Amino acid sequence: MDSLMQGAAGMQTDDLLDDLSEPLLAYHQLSKHHLQGYAAGPETLDWDDQPDPFRHFAQATYIDLPFADADYLNVNVSHLFCGDAPSQQLSLETLSLFLCFSAGLSAWKTFGIDRWSLRVVPSSGNLHPGELYLLLPSTGFCKAGLYHYDVFHHRLTLRSLLPDHVEGAVYLIQTSVLQREAWKYGVRSLRYCWLDAGHQRAQCQAVAGLLGWSLVDISTARTLLSQLCGLNRPEYAEVEQEYPQWVCQLHFTYSENAAATVLEKLASSAAINWSGQPSRLAPPPLQTWKQPFAIAEQLEVAVTAVRHFPQSDDLPGDFIGAEADPWKLILSRRSGQAYAAESAYPRQLFEQMMAALQSGGSRLLPDSPQVHLLCFIHSVEGLAPGIYLIPRSEEGARLFLRELQRWQPWDDAELNGIATAWRMKTANTRKAAGQLCCNQAIAAGSSFTLIFLAEFDSPMNNSQGRVCPQLYEETGMLGQQIYLHSTAQGYSGTGIGCFFDDAIHELIGLKSQSLQALYGFAVGEPLRDERITQLSGYYHLRERFV
């Protein structure tokens, strides 16, 4: 632990630009859970000091967003994944729909006298580290400027005016408040920020598809994004820091190209009329976690990866559940809290979901996958219970054959729509999955439990470590695809961020770091959560309903 911090402190900016792999690899190892003990975290939680999941800006100008009706758009669930819906014009109403269903509130839970909100996009522990900012051009409803999306009030907060040469482009930037995760998860907190960033990225892509829009990633320095969002300004000195995760350009047709040069122009032009004081989210923490914050600071000088997503006309548009209302589906998505272990998942639905996770199967997922599937099948009709491998690329298949040494030769698993799949071991997998996922009942009670194995050594070395956040984000994107897909099929999913990393590797005979477990996911028939109320996500703003 000390060596990680000494290495971080001793590296200069020029060194960080050259190679981030050593501190990131050290952090990856440090933040692993082990059968002998968990990664360092708080021994107790003071729930009165939990960071506020909503950031507000006092003394700022606001634009209230209308709660517009989406029925006129005539879209279905297939447009979430295929994205061939008619393109809508940018307006206050369409922007409101995009933000509400990409990042807004969906419902409320109660337990005794306590009440808390749920969002359309999931988060580890419902902590929601993410914040969204928009760079908007001058339009009929706003001046050119930087805006923060205030989720609780469903409104845009003007942070600064910008030169009019935004040239009609709309940019979306996500940041993370690391302290929201560190409060509960300690050293492992940065992992959860990266995973949540992937969930958010995929959800934005899905909702853009309903409006006939798309998001294209831009490669740019995180220091530039901090400057654009004002994160290095004096008003942040006494509040919880935010760290940029990704930036996208919002396209209103599918043929446009992203232009990072506009961001560079904006960064070189001094923003004017900054306004708003960011809210403090919690009292000063009693316990601090230097390692994740040191890594987040170092990543400020790194460059985000450009991800290429499949074109809409290449994707299959027919699947079971496509006739459902996509807007209601988004609002009804829940993380399963418990599963009916006696329920068997239909094989056709399982195959359809696994096919959608393959390269080119969904516009929510990058078309050059670096994450592959280890599947504990507990109860899927027509499939023997056991441990299955489903690579998402030819390179993934080669890695599996070369690096996973147990139980070879494996049996071919014939799954419709999937080029390569193997059954490593026939076995009752419930106990193993539950134990490996930190003894969580959801991993044992589901119909199947996935572990996402990322290509690790090679991408990390080739990118000098910069790709590390994107590997976690890709697993988050996969998780969001599964959330939406399982909900459309009448089932549910649950992301699993707590697992015994190296115990999973040992089970499958993985001895190198060529592949690493980064995330887990349980899918099955959920048991009813009686804490869900009938209150809409924005019942507290009912006076603004239209």
Side-chain angles (χ1 to χ4, degrees):
M1 185 179 298
D2 290 339
S3 62
L4 170 67
M5 293 309 303
Q6 291 168 3
M11 297 184 75
Q12 301 299 314
T13 298
D14 290 343
D15 296 325
L16 293 173
L17 285 170
D18 291 335
D19 196 344
L20 287 162
S21 57
E22 184 176 345
L24 281 165
L25 285 170
Y27 173 71
H28 176 70
Q29 288 298 116
L30 181 70
S31 59
K32 285 183 175 180
H33 289 321
H34 300 278
L35 291 172
Q36 298 78 17
Y38 291 90
E43 296 180 1
T44 185
L45 295 177
D46 185 348
W47 293 97
D48 291 334
D49 287 344
Q50 178 180 350
D52 190 339
F54 304 105
R55 171 150 273 169
H56 311 296
F57 290 86
Q59 301 170 356
T61 300
Y62 306 110
I63 301 176
D64 286 334
L65 296 169
F67 292 96
D69 187 354
D71 291 344
Y72 74 94
L73 294 178
N74 192 28
V75 291
N76 59 45
V77 170
S78 66
H79 294 112
L80 289 168
F81 309 123
C82 303
D84 54 355
S87 182
Q88 304 298 314
Q89 294 293 318
L90 177 65
S91 67
L92 192 61
E93 289 72 24
T94 54
L95 184 60
S96 175
L97 284 173
F98 174 74
L99 291 172
C100 185
F101 287 90
S102 292
L105 304 182
S106 59
W108 290 77
K109 276 187 178 183
T110 60
F111 186 74
I113 62 173
D114 295 322
R115 176 178 293 171
W116 64 97
S117 61
L118 303 179
R119 300 197 197 184
V120 295
V121 66
S123 172
S124 49
N126 203 34
L127 298 177
H128 295 285
E131 299 288 340
L132 286 180
Y133 293 84
L134 294 93
L135 292 170
L136 295 173
S138 179
T139 67
F141 59 85
C142 72
K143 297 178 179 179
L146 170 76
Y147 294 83
H148 170 259
Y149 176 46
D150 183 333
V151 175
F152 186 81
H153 295 102
H154 190 51
R155 64 189 182 188
L156 295 174
T157 304
L158 176 63
R159 288 286 288 125
S160 71
L161 297 176
L162 292 171
D164 286 335
H165 65 235
V166 178
E167 298 171 355
V170 175
Y171 296 90
L172 189 66
I173 302 170
Q174 188 190 3
T175 67
S176 289
V177 182
L178 179 54
Q179 181 56 32
R180 285 186 180 136
E181 295 287 346
W183 168 79
K184 183 176 182 180
Y185 294 116
V187 166
R188 207 168 168 94
S189 55
L190 189 56
R191 288 184 176 218
Y192 292 105
C193 287
W194 291 337
L195 292 172
D196 278 16
H199 278 284
Q200 184 66 82
R201 176 65 180 83
Q203 182 68 10
C204 287
Q205 188 85 335
V207 178
L210 297 178
L211 295 165
W213 303 346
S214 63
L215 293 171
V216 178
D217 289 290
I218 298 174
S219 179
T220 191
R222 284 186 169 88
T223 47
L224 184 147
L225 298 182
S226 290
Q227 182 178 347
L228 283 171
C229 293
L231 304 181
N232 50 5
R233 287 182 51 78
E235 55 261 36
Y236 278 89
E238 301 300 325
V239 302
E240 295 82 358
Q241 185 60 50
E242 299 178 30
Y243 300 93
Q245 295 290 358
W246 48 257
V247 57
C248 299
Q249 184 177 346
L250 186 58
H251 288 173
F252 305 108
T253 67
Y254 293 110
S255 60
E256 297 178 76
N257 294 316
T261 54
V262 176
L263 293 178
E264 295 165 3
K265 289 180 182 178
L266 290 174
S268 63
S269 302
I272 57 176
N273 295 336
W274 281 93
S275 64
Q277 175 63 40
S279 57
R280 182 157 191 89
L281 306 176
L286 298 176
Q287 198 168 7
T288 58
W289 306 97
K290 295 181 180 179
Q291 297 84 0
F293 283 91
I295 293 298
E297 292 289 349
Q298 291 181 66
L299 284 171
E300 285 296 303
V301 297
V303 177
T304 59
V306 174
R307 288 167 288 217
H308 301 283
F309 291 78
Q311 295 300 309
S312 59
D313 54 5
D314 296 331
L315 303 176
D318 54 333
F319 63 92
I320 296 171
E323 69 281 358
D325 182 327
W327 309 102
K328 292 180 179 178
L329 181 147
I330 290 171
L331 295 178
S332 65
R333 182 219 60 81
R334 302 283 182 268
S335 294
Q337 302 298 306
Y339 289 98
E342 70 279 4
S343 174
Y345 213 85
R347 177 168 179 165
Q348 182 183 4
L349 299 188
F350 174 80
E351 291 176 334
Q352 187 181 80
M353 181 185 294
M354 293 302 107
L357 299 179
Q358 295 292 300
S359 178
S362 169
R363 66 186 298 274
L364 274 62
L365 305 174
D367 58 7
S368 299
Q370 294 182 291
V371 180
H372 311 283
L373 308 178
L374 168 66
C375 187
F376 294 84
I377 291 184
H378 310 316
S379 181
V380 175
E381 293 174 353
L383 289 177
I387 302 173
Y388 288 69
L389 295 171
I390 304 177
R392 298 176 58 238
S393 70
E394 293 182 2
E395 175 59 21
R398 287 192 289 268
L399 274 173
F400 279 172
L401 287 169
R402 184 174 71 244
E403 301 292 338
L404 310 187
Q405 297 302 312
R406 297 199 71 180
W407 303 306
Q408 289 201 38
W410 308 316
D411 295 328
D412 290 333
E414 299 296 331
L415 298 176
N416 187 41
I418 301 169
T420 304
W422 294 292
R423 185 173 67 246
M424 292 186 77
K425 179 74 172 177
T426 301
N428 185 332
T429 52
R430 292 192 185 277
K431 182 177 180 180
Q435 289 178 336
L436 290 170
C437 293
C438 299
N439 300 301
Q440 295 182 80
I442 52 173
S446 59
S447 295
F448 57 95
T449 297
L450 296 164
I451 299 294
F452 299 135
L453 297 173
E455 301 172 23
F456 202 73
D457 263 351
S458 179
M460 287 286 286
N461 291 332
N462 292 339
S463 69
Q464 291 77 49
R466 297 186 188 95
V467 76
C468 187
Q470 279 72 44
L471 294 175
Y472 281 90
E473 286 177 21
E474 184 176 336
T475 67
M477 293 179 196
L478 285 164
Q480 193 63 16
Q481 170 74 30
I482 295 171
Y483 265 125
L484 294 172
H485 209 137
S486 61
T487 304
Q489 293 176 338
Y491 291 83
S492 187
T494 310
I496 301 175
C498 184
F499 50 84
F500 298 117
D501 305 54
D502 289 338
I504 293 172
H505 304 150
E506 183 178 352
L507 174 70
I508 57 179
L510 176 62
K511 297 181 179 180
S512 71
Q513 286 200 338
S514 58
L515 294 160
Q516 291 286 282
L518 299 187
Y519 197 23
F521 218 91
V523 181
E525 180 181 344
L527 299 178
R528 179 177 173 82
D529 188 346
E530 299 295 340
R531 297 171 298 175
I532 301 292
T533 72
Q534 298 302 310
L535 296 174
S536 69
Y538 286 104
Y539 82 98
H540 56 291
L541 303 179
R542 61 171 58 92
E543 70 277 3
R544 281 170 45 197
F545 289 6
V546 295

